[in-house]
Amino acid sequence: MEQLDGVLPPLKERLDAAFDTTLSQLKEVNDSLERAKAAHALAGRTQEYGSEFQVVRNEAMNETLRTGQLNSTELAAELGISKGRVSQLVKGAPPERLFLGSGKVIVALAEKLEDGTLQDGSSKPVKGPVIATEDVQTYERLRELAEEVGLEISFERIPIGGNIRLNRNNLVVICGPRLSPLIEQILESDPHLRFGKDDAGWHLTDQTTGQVYRSPMDSGENADIAYVGRLPRPDGQGTFLYIAGIHARGSGGVVHWLNNELANVHRELKARRFSTLVQSSFDPETLEIVSSKRITPFYRPDGA
């Protein structure tokens, strides 16, 4: 931790204080079995946090070398490691993985109520809460992308009512605002792009230009428009990645776009807040996305 001294002392102080407090509370647990279980769980979490710090470090090292800020010899001297170690670290996972997360990624998919519909290829109708087939397909494509850049990924269900725990790291939410009042409220923090509904159905509006974007699917075309952005967590301690199409098929278009543009998107945005719209088209028989493109600028909440 020596390298943090004089560079980010408040960060180091907060980390040290949190560690000292946690360790002190752990030692005060009277029951030895409970103390052992808690210590074991916390040791695992410490390793996970360490891995996330390492991912951020490696990405920053890659950027430092790529932009010419330092050469490998100078960077090694700054970090107090050998030039050979620098070479080992920068050859790790691609830096663009950080756009999706720095640890195990959780993708939250919304449930919706359906009666007598098929789910996930089931041979029998499912009654009650289901996840849309399109969202399952989108998750599978996102899983392939995450694993390609070296990230572990899994999904969880957002129950009917849209109640989801947003205050955690490495979270991707795929859920239309109509399925979650909580998400609908957080989307209102975006001053540039907004979901809306009128007599013609759901749509997206660019608040900056006044342009209204309606889904081509509503006119019989094999295409949709989706919102993608990094939104603030309710606790103010971070953000989560949010994806939602006007229809469920549009979310897959965002993943298709990221699959082609992830490195460029990460280079421009890093982990900063943003929002944009992506239009995509799909094969009507397989429902697979065949093309995608960004149709608005990368909007930032501060106007930058």
Side-chain angles (χ1 to χ4, degrees):
M1 299 294 291
E2 292 81 10
Q3 285 76 21
L4 286 178
D5 294 330
V7 181
L8 293 173
L11 181 59
K12 182 179 183 299
E13 290 171 5
R14 291 203 306 270
L15 187 61
D16 288 343
F19 179 81
D20 291 342
T21 300
T22 302
L23 186 60
S24 176
Q25 293 175 344
L26 178 64
K27 291 178 178 179
E28 293 174 1
V29 176
N30 290 325
D31 186 276
S32 60
L33 176 58
E34 291 301 317
R35 190 166 65 251
K37 289 165 63 178
H40 179 70
L42 288 171
R45 290 295 292 153
T46 300
Q47 291 178 345
E48 291 180 18
Y49 287 133
S51 296
E52 295 194 23
F53 284 137
Q54 290 169 13
V55 169
V56 174
R57 175 201 61 194
N58 295 354
E59 185 274 340
M61 291 172 64
N62 268 289
E63 182 176 351
T64 300
L65 294 175
R66 186 181 67 250
T67 59
Q69 183 177 351
L70 296 175
N71 61 37
S72 57
T73 300
E74 294 166 335
L75 180 57
E78 287 288 333
L79 296 178
I81 59 179
S82 69
K83 183 179 177 180
R85 182 59 174 155
V86 168
S87 179
Q88 289 178 335
L89 294 175
V90 298
K91 288 180 180 178
E96 58 265 27
R97 75 196 296 238
L98 281 179
F99 185 81
L100 299 176
S102 57
K104 183 176 181 179
V105 176
I106 301 295
V107 180
L109 304 174
E111 292 183 332
K112 61 179 182 178
L113 286 174
E114 291 195 359
D115 185 9
T117 59
L118 297 181
Q119 179 191 23
D120 303 348
S122 172
S123 60
K124 295 182 179 180
V126 175
K127 294 185 178 181
V130 300
I131 295 176
T133 300
E134 296 93 336
D135 285 343
V136 174
Q137 195 170 14
T138 295
Y139 166 74
E140 288 300 323
R141 298 296 171 265
L142 185 58
R143 179 183 60 79
E144 292 170 1
L145 175 60
E147 292 180 349
E148 184 176 318
V149 296
L151 288 170
E152 184 181 355
I153 187 170
S154 63
F155 82 91
E156 68 179 29
R157 294 170 177 264
I158 302 174
I160 299 298
N163 188 22
I164 176 177
R165 184 166 65 89
L166 297 171
N167 297 330
R168 45 185 166 158
N169 297 327
N170 305 312
L171 179 66
V172 179
V173 176
I174 301 176
C175 172
R178 71 182 181 87
L179 297 177
S180 173
L182 174 60
I183 292 295
E184 186 175 21
Q185 291 180 41
I186 292 177
L187 280 167
E188 293 177 358
S189 69
D190 186 340
H192 300 288
L193 299 172
R194 191 70 55 85
F195 275 93
K197 187 180 182 182
D198 56 21
D199 292 342
W202 284 90
H203 56 271
L204 283 154
T205 301
D206 187 326
Q207 304 280 90
T208 303
T209 65
Q211 183 168 351
V212 176
Y213 294 90
R214 298 189 182 275
S215 174
M217 288 182 67
D218 295 333
S219 301
E221 299 180 43
N222 301 318
D224 196 22
I225 295 173
Y227 176 108
V228 56
R230 198 175 297 280
L231 299 177
R233 288 169 20 177
D235 64 359
Q237 300 301 309
T239 60
F240 63 95
L241 189 62
Y242 176 74
I243 300 171
I246 296 178
H247 297 285
R249 180 57 53 196
S251 298
V254 172
V255 176
H256 183 277
W257 170 73
L258 284 175
N259 193 61
N260 295 317
E261 296 291 333
L262 185 60
N264 295 329
V265 172
H266 170 70
R267 189 176 301 116
E268 182 167 349
L269 298 173
K270 301 295 189 296
R272 296 188 292 267
R273 284 187 58 189
F274 78 96
S275 61
T276 192
L277 300 185
V278 172
Q279 182 168 339
S280 60
S281 59
F282 58 90
D283 186 305
E285 295 184 0
T286 66
L287 300 183
E288 289 285 351
I289 304 295
V290 295
S291 67
S292 59
K293 62 179 180 179
R294 179 164 58 93
I295 58 174
T296 66
F298 285 125
Y299 284 121
R300 299 287 309 285
D302 54 8

